[in-house]
Amino acid sequence: QVQLVESGGGVVQAGGSLRLSCSASGHAGGRYAMGWFRQAPGKEREFVAAITWNADNTFYKDPVKGRFTISRHRTENTVYLQMNSLKPEDSAVYYCAAAYNVAVVRGAYRYWGQGTQVTVSS
């Protein structure tokens, strides 16, 4: 069992930046790929970014490429999502998740955090 806890969400003006963190505990020493997803009210949870277990590759949803950066520090069992040039349409609850292999679909992820709210004002 892996427990994931997100933090760093908040309210920011359009064009601003936020850095989300996801701390893992439990069996966090495993070789898990990590991903970030987001869900806005009335919408499906969607993929944002992912990173391999050893951080040798990253993947992004097209609308966030060039603005968001995913990274991880294995020694701290923590994954980050640096979000720059934020837009109102980025507003959502952001979730981190762990998978046995890197993927861009929800079903591939075994463990999920409870989410952190990101609100971008116009």
Side-chain angles (χ1 to χ4, degrees), residues 26-47:
H27 301 294
R31 294 184 174 184
Y32 295 108
M34 300 294 295
W36 285 97
F37 290 74
R38 66 188 182 186
Q39 186 169 25
K43 295 185 178 181
E44 296 292 321
R45 192 171 300 184
E46 65 178 358
F47 169 79

Side-chain angles (χ1 to χ4, degrees), residues 1-4 27 32 96-100 108-113:
Q1 182 72 24
V2 174
Q3 291 80 47
L4 305 173
H27 301 294
Y32 295 108
C96 68
Y100 297 126
Y109 289 83
R110 176 70 173 84
Y111 304 101
W112 293 84

Side-chain angles (χ1 to χ4, degrees), residues 56-76:
D56 66 348
N57 214 344
T58 57
F59 306 87
Y60 298 93
K61 178 183 178 182
D62 285 342
V64 309
K65 288 181 179 178
R67 298 190 297 122
F68 292 9
T69 302
I70 188 171
S71 61
R72 71 187 300 168
H73 294 82
R74 291 169 59 196
T75 57
E76 298 291 336

